[in-house]
């Protein structure tokens, strides 16, 4: 029984590889003509081949598996084109995104200091101070007891104060 399963799998792989080698250039050329963008065409064809491989036991049995992949690749390309078109319409409707100011040196220093903290402290600080979650929610999301989260916040603040050479980092209420 195991020998039969392996034979089928090897036959599937070999059959798909042969199909892929024999059809990839034609399909890429077709989708390239549809999109006018080689990168988009490559992405769409690759995605279509992935979907074909995932369903190869069915698609491989079709009279013309290449037709199936061609239709899927074209639909993927059109779907991407529609998404880009929708984004362009939204841009025209709402205008350009306001420019984001460059980070200040203070921001860069804080981020550099946060990177030096142990991951548990960094995550607790980010969830509590940046995401604005209460201590109980930070505990739930990190699967840690509330007391542990409070300790991580306290140790993280102390470590940040040392790293940033700040003498008095504000203690958060309840943390």
């Amino acid at each position: 029984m195991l020998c039969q399963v392996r034979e089928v799998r090897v036959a599937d792989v070999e059959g798909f590889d042969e199909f892929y080698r024999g059809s990839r250039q034609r399909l890429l050329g077709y989708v390239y003509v549809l999109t006018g963008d080689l990168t988009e065409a490559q992405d769409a064809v690759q995605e279509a081949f992935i979907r074909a491989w995932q369903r190869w036991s069915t698609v491989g049995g079709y009279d013309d598996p290449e037709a199936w992949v061609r239709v899927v690749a074209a639909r993927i390309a059109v779907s991407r084109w529609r998404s880009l078109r929708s984004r362009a319409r939204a841009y025209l409707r709402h205008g350009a995104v306001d420019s984001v100011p460059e980070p200040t040196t203070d921001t860069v220093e804080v981020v550099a200091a946060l990177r030096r903290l142990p991951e548990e402290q960094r995550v607790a600080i980010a969830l509590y101070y940046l995401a604005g979650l209460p201590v109980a929610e930070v505990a739930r999301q990190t699967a840690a007891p509330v007391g542990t989260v409070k300790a991580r916040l306290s140790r993280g603040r102390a470590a940040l104060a040392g790293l940033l050479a700040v003498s008095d980092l504000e203690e958060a209420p309840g943390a």
Side-chain angles (χ1 to χ4, degrees):
M1 185 70 151
L2 182 60
C3 188
Q4 289 176 337
V5 170
R6 283 189 180 161
E7 288 176 20
V8 170
R9 295 240 184 245
V10 170
D12 283 351
V13 170
E14 290 173 356
F16 183 81
D17 285 349
E18 182 179 327
F19 166 70
Y20 175 78
R21 283 191 299 274
S23 60
R24 69 179 180 222
Q25 286 304 114
R26 278 190 305 276
L27 290 167
L28 179 59
Y30 169 72
V31 178
Y32 176 60
V33 169
L34 289 179
T35 63
D37 183 330
L38 183 58
T39 304
E40 282 295 319
Q42 289 169 332
D43 288 348
V45 170
Q46 180 181 12
E47 179 65 28
F49 273 115
I50 289 169
R51 292 180 188 181
W53 170 246
Q54 291 169 337
R55 298 164 181 78
W56 188 244
S57 60
T58 303
V59 173
Y62 291 164
D63 290 336
D64 189 2
E66 187 174 333
W68 187 90
V69 176
R70 185 173 36 255
V71 168
V72 170
R75 287 180 179 165
I76 291 168
V78 168
S79 176
R80 288 182 180 178
W81 177 77
R82 285 181 179 152
S83 175
L84 288 171
R85 187 178 64 182
S86 295
R87 277 188 255 154
R89 284 184 181 157
Y91 174 80
L92 290 173
R93 199 172 32 245
H94 301 291
V97 176
D98 295 336
S99 64
V100 176
E102 292 185 19
T104 64
T105 53
D106 290 344
T107 302
V108 173
E109 289 174 10
V110 169
V111 169
L114 281 168
R115 286 184 179 157
R116 294 177 62 189
L117 295 180
E119 182 180 0
E120 295 84 10
Q121 291 175 11
R122 188 172 56 245
V123 168
I125 286 173
L127 290 172
Y128 185 79
Y129 289 104
L130 302 176
L133 299 180
V135 172
E137 183 60 20
V138 173
R140 192 183 70 72
Q141 287 196 15
T142 60
V146 169
T148 301
V149 171
K150 289 180 178 182
R152 288 174 182 169
L153 288 169
S154 177
R155 289 183 186 124
R157 280 191 304 270
L160 280 176
L163 292 169
L164 296 171
V166 175
S167 61
D168 186 28
L169 239 161
E170 184 179 315
E171 185 80 17

